[in-house]
Amino acid sequence: MAGMTWLHLSDWHQKGKEFDRQVVRDALIRDIEEREKISPDLAKIDFIIFSGDVAHAGKKEEYTAAWENLFEPVLQATGLTAEQLFIVPGNHDLDRSAFELLPNSILQPFESNEQVKDWLTNKKKCDRLREPFEAYREFVTQYTHQTQPDYSSIRRLSIDGKRVALLGLNSALMAGRVNERGEVNDDGKLIVGEPQLYDALHKIASDEVRIAVLHHPLELLAEFERDLITQRLQDNDGCHFLLCGHQHQAKAYQVTGTTGNCVIIPAGSSYSNRGYHNGYNFVHLDFETNKGIVYLRLWDDNGNYWCKHTAKSHEDGYITFELPKKEIRNRNIPSIGILPDEIQNTLKQHFDWLIPKIKNGLVIPFLGADINLCDRSQDPNLAPKPWEWNLNSDYPPTSVEVAAYLDRSHKYLQRMRCPLCDEENLPANCPIMTQFVTRLDLQNVSQYFNLLSEGEENIKETIAAITEKEYKPNRLHQFLAKLPRFMDEMGYSARIKSLGEKTRYQLIVTTNFDRTLEQAFINAKQPFDLVSYTAGAEDSEGQIVKQFVHQRFEHEIEGNKDSPVVQIGQLKPIPPGTANEYSDFSLNERPVILKLYGPVDLPERPRKSFAITEDHFIDYLAYADNKPVDLLPSYLLGKLNNSHIWFLGYSLRYWHQRVILHRLLPEKEKRKTQTWWAVHPKPDALDKFLWKNKDVEIMSEISLEIYFDELNNKLKKQ
């Protein structure tokens, strides 16, 4: 049953080490671990919301303690990563000692919308207003990788095919101010500010489920902006859900009327004290019925356990709701018209050269990991960040995303020494933590973890999970899968003689671990042969034998092109030394997908049934006396050496990718008339230099979406 489930916690108020807090926490973890007793719908938690007041006084040491005492155990109990935890600040998350350095103009509550707009639309002023949240900001940025976690933070998720947006708002910007009587009373003095949510709501307008999270209930906002913020968040183009904390009340209700339609779910306090009515909740939404349930949980100090929270309005401990109807704007589909004339002309010339080669069976697509960026948001603020990918994600990963997942504990990053910071424990704003993570080298990261006691098994399980997951093919996968039938229907295949360099169908080389390309062929009902790298049994010297294996995928009903495509027959090994003689497939009968790095779906995967670490690649490249012909059938090697190579999402930034090309493909001096192209939307300076050095025409500054839409159109017209 399609749907999503989240865990909602709030108000932990971390101080020092407390025995009573530990008692309540331990029972909380047990309750979360045993959540299926509450409802089977809670088995899989998709994300966790924490709606403010992690700390008691906004101190760095309090956040460190909260991570150890609350967040790490909760993540372990739910099986989630830190990137699936979404946190917003509360009034206890600001450090009031920082008030001493603030100007007098923001030490008193704001009195008008004009004041709010003046401070929030001016970056320098807005930064000053957020200074008391420095410890909070560093903590959240480092552990959950949220961008701007103390002001208008957006996280995008894809859950069961639905686009979900989390919008985190800081309602504590003006909290803690002392009034004229020398007292602190935030009620009616707080602000969110229209500038904080105006652009954010536009950015998430195309998402199918929108969840706003802030610490304070809207009724506590300053009167001059309360109605405006309420209208913005609850209106037809606002959010479906509004999650908050602060009042320590466990309840849920749905509002409809002139202020909009919205499900409002406050969380209780995760911990105030042992004798308090602490609370939290689970929320499940069924995508098929658009109905949901909020399961309210309550701490029982007498029994030292958490139980269902019952009342007259919810005698069974839960409250039901219907998903509010909201306007879902169409996603902006990129088109060639948005490109400068110079790039459009270059693209036209490129296609004029490429398309005839494709029609004549002379082009080999060579796929890199970045093809998995296709069909993701082009907006850098909305596109998933590398650290957001996990084994439950609905899209296949890039190599950087796999590396970031393997290093989700930050062991690899933290061991690095930053010349700018020169600190043993890297701060959250260190370039290593904020920028280098987007350039992680999978081979280097996996090599590091492979040396740890638990690392090798973790790598194996990660690759196995990626291989087994059925991801939705993007338009690049679909284009390649539909191309053979298009070639047949247009008569191009029939014109190609089964001799020489031309072949009726394509050899497609991929360096990716996922099976999304194969799935695209199966979905398109297109037969194909799959040749994959793997490892066989040990030889007489105890060494694992590296080799390729062959699998055939054909129509289930012979001759029926509308029948499903399934694997036919057994997997056939291609033993080293015999590859030159292997001829059990032909590019004039069906396409061949060559998976250079594996893995193969085998009941028992040997340790090196795929190539990922630096040591794996050293073994891989050094095997068989450096003769690719000993491993790969000469039929495929010949095709590689005599074809035009079409690199898609492939990067030369990493050494092993360059060596692979050196081993398999001819150097530019030895090429005949073949042309190589590289299509990469955002190559860096090193990539551009390396491609140019290999005399490769690079198509950059153009998205994969636009490229393949335009190629599809041109191919059908010519």
Side-chain angles (χ1 to χ4, degrees), residues 692-705:
K692 184 178 180 180
N693 189 53
K694 286 189 172 291
D695 198 20
V696 175
E697 176 187 330
I698 183 166
M699 298 296 301
S700 60
E701 309 307 324
I702 177 171
S703 73
L704 291 171
E705 294 84 358

Side-chain angles (χ1 to χ4, degrees), residues 147 152-158 163-168 197-207 210 329-332 373 375-388 395 401 682:
T147 54
S152 192
S153 180
I154 295 176
R155 176 150 288 177
R156 311 290 288 280
L157 305 168
S158 178
R163 300 186 303 275
V164 180
L166 307 180
L167 170 58
L197 54 82
Y198 183 78
D199 287 338
L201 288 175
H202 283 288
K203 289 177 180 178
I204 65 174
S206 64
D207 288 286
R210 305 189 286 264
R329 295 184 185 174
N330 292 329
R331 303 178 75 182
N332 292 327
L373 294 172
D375 285 345
R376 302 198 201 175
S377 174
Q378 300 301 302
D379 186 336
N381 295 314
L382 304 181
K385 304 298 186 292
W387 48 81
E388 293 177 357
Y395 51 90
E401 287 169 332
K682 293 182 180 179

Side-chain angles (χ1 to χ4, degrees), residues 183-402:
E183 303 169 340
V184 175
N185 184 359
D186 290 335
D187 293 5
K189 307 295 183 183
L190 302 168
I191 64 107
V192 168
E194 189 179 14
Q196 185 177 182
L197 54 82
Y198 183 78
D199 287 338
L201 288 175
H202 283 288
K203 289 177 180 178
I204 65 174
S206 64
D207 288 286
E208 297 162 285
V209 181
R210 305 189 286 264
I211 303 173
V213 188
L214 71 168
H215 182 63
H216 298 92
L218 297 180
E219 56 264 29
L220 298 187
L221 298 183
E223 186 176 357
F224 63 77
E225 78 160 24
R226 187 183 306 147
D227 291 345
L228 173 63
I229 300 302
T230 300
Q231 189 80 36
R232 285 285 192 196
L233 288 175
Q234 298 179 181
D235 217 346
N236 190 40
D237 55 358
C239 295
H240 299 81
F241 298 91
L242 179 59
L243 277 52
C244 58
H246 186 69
Q247 290 185 322
H248 303 183
Q249 295 178 356
K251 55 184 179 180
Y253 56 96
Q254 188 158 1
V255 296
T256 57
T258 57
T259 59
N261 186 358
C262 188
V263 179
I264 300 178
I265 310 175
S269 171
S270 298
Y271 182 82
S272 286
N273 60 66
R274 186 169 173 177
Y276 194 72
H277 52 276
N278 303 307
Y280 77 100
N281 60 62
F282 294 99
V283 182
H284 176 75
L285 173 63
D286 187 322
F287 288 150
E288 295 178 3
T289 64
N290 282 335
K291 294 182 178 180
I293 301 179
V294 182
Y295 296 94
L296 303 173
R297 307 299 291 169
L298 179 70
W299 168 248
D300 184 330
D301 186 40
N302 293 325
N304 281 326
Y305 71 104
W306 291 79
C307 59
K308 60 184 179 182
H309 184 179
T310 60
K312 286 185 177 180
S313 61
H314 48 279
E315 295 181 352
D316 294 320
Y318 62 83
I319 296 173
T320 60
F321 62 84
E322 292 190 8
L323 182 68
K325 294 182 179 180
K326 299 284 181 181
E327 179 183 348
I328 310 297
R329 295 184 185 174
N330 292 329
R331 303 178 75 182
N332 292 327
I333 306 299
S335 66
I336 192 171
I338 69 173
L339 298 175
D341 291 343
E342 182 181 353
I343 295 180
Q344 290 191 43
N345 292 333
T346 301
L347 190 61
K348 180 181 181 302
Q349 294 172 12
H350 168 69
F351 285 149
D352 287 345
W353 183 255
L354 172 68
I355 289 175
K357 305 295 184 295
I358 292 177
K359 290 180 178 179
N360 282 290
L362 290 169
V363 177
I364 294 180
F366 208 108
L367 311 184
D370 285 347
I371 65 164
N372 289 337
L373 294 172
C374 187
D375 285 345
R376 302 198 201 175
S377 174
Q378 300 301 302
D379 186 336
N381 295 314
L382 304 181
K385 304 298 186 292
W387 48 81
E388 293 177 357
W389 185 87
N390 61 75
L391 296 181
N392 295 319
S393 295
D394 293 330
Y395 51 90
T398 66
S399 60
V400 172
E401 287 169 332
V402 178

